[in-house]
Amino acid sequence: MGGLVSTPLLVGGAVGAYEATSRSETIESVEGKAVDRDGEITQTTLGKIDDEFGGDGDEFTYLSATSDLLNNLGRTVGEQVRVTRGDDEVAVYTIASELSGEDTDIAGNARSRARLDLNNSNWEDIGDCRQVCPRPETSVPLNDNDEVAVTVDPMVVNPDMNVQEAQESGDYVEVSEQTGSDIIVLSPHGGDIQPHTGEQAETVVDELNGNIDHWGTRGYRNGSGAFVSWYVPSYSMSTASYPELEAVSENEYEYAIAFHGTCDPTIQIGGQAPQSFRKEVRDAINEVLKGTDLNAVLGTDEYRVDGDKTLANRLTTSCGIWIGQDEESREQYGTEIANAVAGVLETRL
């Protein structure tokens, strides 16, 4: 890692001391591998690889890194990092795999690298038309270079900002409220990442008088591009990278409802919840949408979203619901949809 420059991670405005005695207390086992969580912000270069990371449609959110860099960051494969280029190009990535035998410490394909050149990027809608649109074109000046100077930070969400401050400065934060309820509503991509989903979750909380739990993120970018900068698929979100998510993950919820954005004009009701409960949510939404051109259906195929890694399914013991909506549905009827969901949950309080 010749030439690698590191600076201690800032915690609460103070620089943490790099002491062996304190660092030893941060070492934990992650999937059988020792990881030192006292990570450091690291300056390095972002390389280019052809690997498409499995081609699951979300490969633009992945990077690969060497074990040396991961050790320096206090991160491991499957967790997130924040990567910054210059003064205002920033994105959050999931580490998909370890690099070996490479000349660079961290690397991505052309699509993932293009996320760090949004000021020079045009947009295109490609992929499976679920959560992966829009994305930047790969023909950006950054991709003319094999290596690009970047800063890699193990801090993903900014702990020193509230939502208003993040909106003003174009940053990424967590929101969370724990009440001891066995119901949680989720907005993993709030703010301008998937617009109106955050407001929907907050509407459900308000309608139920604050008697349920809530977790989400809020991401913003001055101008446009918050989705491309901050989007992390909910099935990839690691509790090691989102402290408030780790906190709510310690609870056992009976019901978890997550609001998401899609590019499909049909409102999809997925998740591991029993079909009877998904039907109840679908019917409640369709009731408030009578007289419109919109329709909610039970998700099938890719919209079934019944995998164990999907966030709504991870946080519940029995009833996880994933609600996917296109932007027009969220913008025009987001409040009505949220009120319908609140009505269903009210009978479970």
Side-chain angles (χ1 to χ4, degrees):
M1 297 177 65
L4 204 62
V5 178
S6 303
T7 55
L9 176 63
L10 296 180
V11 180
V15 177
Y18 188 84
E19 297 290 345
T21 53
S22 62
R23 284 178 65 86
S24 65
E25 297 174 357
T26 70
I27 294 176
E28 61 180 274
S29 177
V30 179
E31 296 182 350
K33 187 173 183 178
V35 175
D36 188 344
R37 291 303 195 190
D38 192 8
E40 299 175 339
I41 299 173
T42 303
Q43 296 174 8
T44 185
T45 56
L46 174 66
K48 186 187 298 184
I49 54 177
D50 295 329
D51 183 13
E52 289 299 311
F53 304 112
D56 66 356
D58 288 326
E59 68 270 9
F60 78 114
T61 68
Y62 300 140
L63 295 176
S64 294
T66 62
S67 59
D68 284 346
L69 178 60
L70 292 176
N71 289 337
N72 208 50
L73 294 167
R75 288 285 171 254
T76 190
V77 170
E79 297 173 357
Q80 284 74 48
V81 295
R82 176 188 288 227
V83 181
T84 303
R85 169 179 167 259
D87 295 328
D88 60 353
E89 295 282 12
V90 59
V92 169
Y93 296 89
T94 301
I95 301 299
S97 60
E98 284 192 8
L99 284 174
S100 59
E102 300 288 342
D103 296 329
T104 184
D105 288 309
I106 191 165
N109 60 29
R111 185 80 58 195
S112 60
R113 284 163 50 99
R115 298 176 74 193
L116 294 173
D117 202 2
L118 297 190
N119 290 330
N120 295 310
S121 177
N122 293 317
W123 307 95
E124 57 183 348
D125 293 342
I126 61 176
D128 64 9
C129 225
R130 185 167 119 194
Q131 293 157 279
V132 299
C133 53
R135 293 191 287 184
E137 294 180 347
T138 58
S139 56
V140 291
L142 178 148
N143 280 328
D144 293 337
N145 302 310
D146 290 336
E147 294 186 358
V148 180
V150 296
T151 300
V152 187
D153 193 338
M155 182 198 73
V156 171
V157 283
N158 193 325
D160 298 321
M161 284 188 180
N162 58 34
V163 172
Q164 182 177 347
E165 291 168 336
Q167 188 170 15
E168 292 171 353
S169 61
D171 216 303
Y172 186 47
V173 296
E174 281 182 286
V175 295
S176 180
E177 184 68 34
Q178 294 190 64
T179 66
S181 173
D182 63 358
I183 300 173
I184 187 169
V185 62
L186 304 165
S187 51
H189 307 123
D192 290 338
I193 305 173
Q194 291 176 340
H196 311 294
T197 56
E199 289 86 344
Q200 288 183 298
E202 291 163 5
T203 294
V204 174
V205 172
D206 290 343
E207 286 295 308
L208 298 180
N209 300 313
N211 292 324
I212 63 172
D213 287 10
H214 174 218
W215 178 84
T217 73
R218 302 290 182 267
Y220 305 92
R221 185 176 187 273
N222 295 327
S224 64
F227 172 84
V228 179
S229 288
W230 305 120
Y231 173 67
V232 176
S234 79
Y235 56 79
S236 294
M237 286 178 159
S238 167
T239 55
S241 303
Y242 295 89
E244 294 297 330
L245 177 58
E246 182 177 32
V248 299
S249 295
E250 295 176 357
N251 303 324
E252 291 187 1
Y253 295 102
E254 185 172 358
Y255 300 94
I257 312 288
F259 289 97
H260 287 268
T262 70
C263 295
D264 190 310
T266 302
I267 299 168
Q268 306 279 348
I269 312 299
Q272 286 183 348
Q275 186 178 72
S276 59
F277 188 62
R278 290 190 295 125
K279 284 183 176 179
E280 187 176 351
V281 173
R282 176 202 63 186
D283 293 346
I285 292 174
N286 282 334
E287 181 66 27
V288 301
L289 294 178
K290 279 184 177 179
T292 75
D293 295 331
L294 299 175
N295 186 48
V297 301
L298 297 186
T300 59
D301 299 326
E302 63 177 350
Y303 293 106
R304 183 64 182 85
V305 199
D306 57 353
D308 292 338
K309 293 183 179 180
T310 296
L311 187 59
N313 300 333
R314 273 193 274 160
L315 294 184
T316 177
T317 57
S318 57
C319 285
I321 291 283
W322 180 97
I323 302 176
Q325 315 146 88
D326 71 305
E327 189 167 3
E328 182 179 356
S329 300
R330 287 175 270 139
E331 182 176 6
Q332 294 187 9
Y333 301 102
T335 300
E336 289 81 358
I337 293 169
N339 284 334
V341 171
V344 173
L345 292 178
E346 187 174 24
T347 64
R348 268 72 177 179
L349 285 174

